Amino acid sequence: MCWDDLMEFDRAPRLEMLWEAHNPHHALAERFGFDDAAAADRWLRTTLSSHWGVTIESCQRIVMSDHNALAWISTDMGSLLAKWSAAPERFARLSHVADVTQWLADNGLPVSAPVPSLDGRLQLEVDGVSMAVQHVVEGQLLDVGNNRQVHMAGATLAEFHDALGRYPAADETVSQNGTDVPLATRVTGWLDSTDSPAPSAALQALRRIVRDAPRLEGATQLLHGDFRSANVLCSGMSIAAVLDMEEVRRDHCIDELARSTVLLGTRFHDWGPVSAEVHALFRAGYESVRPLTLPEQHWWDVLVLWYTLLFVPADDDPTGWAASALEQAADI
C-alpha cells in the first residue's frame, strides 16, 4: 500500500448502522455500491463539488439505515449533513419532503432547511440516488427527564400542526393513505383481529372507551410523522430543530399527538414508554398553543392507550409497556 493510499484510509469516514444489527461495511457495499468508506468519501467530494459547489474538508462518519445514508461533513460552508437514498420508489416523495421542509423554514419553524444545489433544486437525483444537503444544527436530543424540554416539545408539535395545516401542496405530498377510515373503525378493527399479548384488562378498557368515542370533526391534514426524542434537537430550554420529515403523512392531529406522547422517549434502541407525568407535560405544552376540542380530549385517552398496547411485546417486556397500559386503563 502506497503513502497516498495510507493517507486516504486514515481520513476515511467511520461507518455505522443507525439501529440494525448489520455489518456497516457490508451494508455500504450491498446497498450503496461502495467498496469501502474511502470510495464513499471520494464520491461525496465529487458530488458536492459538482452539484453544490461545496468543497469537503473532511467526512467524519456515515450512518446507514435501510437504503438511506447520512454523512456528517466539514466544508468551506461549515458543517453540513448529506443525506441520500438508494430506494428509487422514494425519490418523488423525498422531493416533496424537501419542499415541505423549506416551506416550514420559510414560515419560521425550527427545521434544518435543505441547501439548494447549483441549479436551485432542493433534492437532486444523481448517480442513481436521491440526495439532499442540510446545515448541521447544534443541539442535544430531547431529554424526557427535563420537564421544560418536554413542555416545549409539545408546544412545538402544535406549532408544526398549525403550519402544516396551511401547507398549500399537501395533496401532492402524500395521499390519504387510508386515513379517510374513521379512527373508531381502525381501533375496533385492530381489537377484533388482534391476538395481542397485552393485559386483558387494558384491552377491555380500550374497547369500552372507543365504543363511546365521538366522531372527530374536520378533515385530516399533513403531519410530521415521527415526532419523538430521536428527531427533536434541544438547545438549552428551546427546541433547536425538528428533524427527519421523511415520514410526513396525513391524519388527524390528535392521532400524532397521542402517538408522539407514547413514543416521546424513544431513540434508536430499547424503546420504552414514558411516565404519565411526561404524558401530561407534553399534552400541556401542546395545548398551550392548540387546545384540544372535546372530541379530541376523549380520543386522547383512546389513542394513548391504543398506541401503548401496540408496543406490548409477545415475550419479555423489559421496558414495561404492559405495566404502562395497565396504569392508563386503571385511570380511565
Side-chain angles (χ1 to χ4, degrees), residues 107-118:
N107 282 268
L109 278 297
V111 294
S112 178
V115 176
S117 63
L118 291 174

Side-chain angles (χ1 to χ4, degrees), residues 1 26 30 53 80 107 131 134 147 175 177 187 275 306 309 314:
M1 181 178 288
H26 294 166
E30 295 165 2
L80 298 178
N107 282 268
M131 173 177 272
Q134 302 171 357
N147 291 349
S175 66
N177 289 329
V187 177
S275 67
W306 183 40
L309 289 168

Side-chain angles (χ1 to χ4, degrees), residues 23-270:
N23 185 306
H25 297 274
H26 294 166
L28 187 70
E30 295 165 2
R31 304 177 191 184
F32 302 100
F34 296 114
D35 291 337
D36 52 31
D41 181 270
R42 290 193 298 271
W43 174 76
L44 281 167
R45 290 172 184 272
T46 300
T47 302
L48 266 72
S49 175
S50 299
H51 297 284
W52 274 269
V54 170
T55 299
I56 293 180
E57 297 167 356
S58 66
C59 177
Q60 294 83 37
R61 61 185 180 127
I62 297 174
V63 178
M64 292 162 283
S65 173
D66 192 31
H67 284 77
N68 306 307
L70 299 89
W72 277 259
I73 53 181
S74 298
T75 77
D76 56 346
M77 290 179 57
S79 296
L80 298 178
L81 182 70
K83 305 173 66 174
W84 68 98
S85 171
E89 67 276 9
R90 291 181 59 85
F91 289 1
R93 176 184 174 88
L94 289 171
S95 181
H96 287 305
V97 166
D99 291 338
V100 174
T101 305
Q102 184 61 57
W103 186 87
L104 288 169
D106 292 342
N107 282 268
L109 278 297
V111 294
S112 178
V115 176
S117 63
L118 291 174
D119 64 7
R121 283 180 287 175
L122 304 177
Q123 189 81 26
L124 195 66
E125 292 184 26
V126 56
D127 296 334
V129 303
S130 179
M131 173 177 272
V133 175
Q134 302 171 357
H135 289 284
V136 172
V137 178
E138 298 298 330
Q140 298 78 43
L141 295 181
L142 170 69
D143 176 8
V144 293
N146 186 313
N147 291 349
R148 178 63 177 164
Q149 287 186 7
V150 170
H151 191 276
M152 285 296 300
T156 299
L157 179 60
E159 291 166 356
F160 268 71
H161 284 176
D162 281 347
L164 289 169
R166 303 190 305 272
Y167 183 64
D171 290 340
E172 300 172 15
T173 304
V174 292
S175 66
Q176 287 288 95
N177 289 329
T179 58
D180 52 336
V181 177
L183 281 173
T185 302
R186 294 184 230 169
V187 177
T188 55
W190 177 80
L191 282 166
D192 291 341
S193 63
T194 189
D195 187 22
S196 172
S200 59
L203 293 168
Q204 291 167 9
L206 177 62
R207 190 177 292 279
R208 183 178 69 254
I209 59 175
V210 73
R211 183 178 60 239
D212 299 331
R215 185 177 181 85
L216 283 171
E217 300 175 359
T220 60
Q221 67 158 69
L222 212 59
L223 304 172
H224 177 275
D226 195 19
F227 192 98
R228 56 190 175 90
S229 178
N231 292 327
V232 180
L233 281 180
C234 298
S235 179
M237 293 298 106
S238 64
I239 304 300
V242 177
L243 308 174
D244 294 339
M245 295 291 301
E246 283 83 355
E247 300 304 319
V248 64
R249 64 188 181 96
R250 293 188 69 108
D251 214 321
H252 296 282
C253 291
I254 188 61
D255 183 81
E256 175 153 86
L257 174 60
R259 184 179 187 276
S260 297
T261 299
V262 171
L263 299 180
L264 192 64
T266 60
R267 295 188 178 179
F268 311 114
H269 304 281
D270 302 320

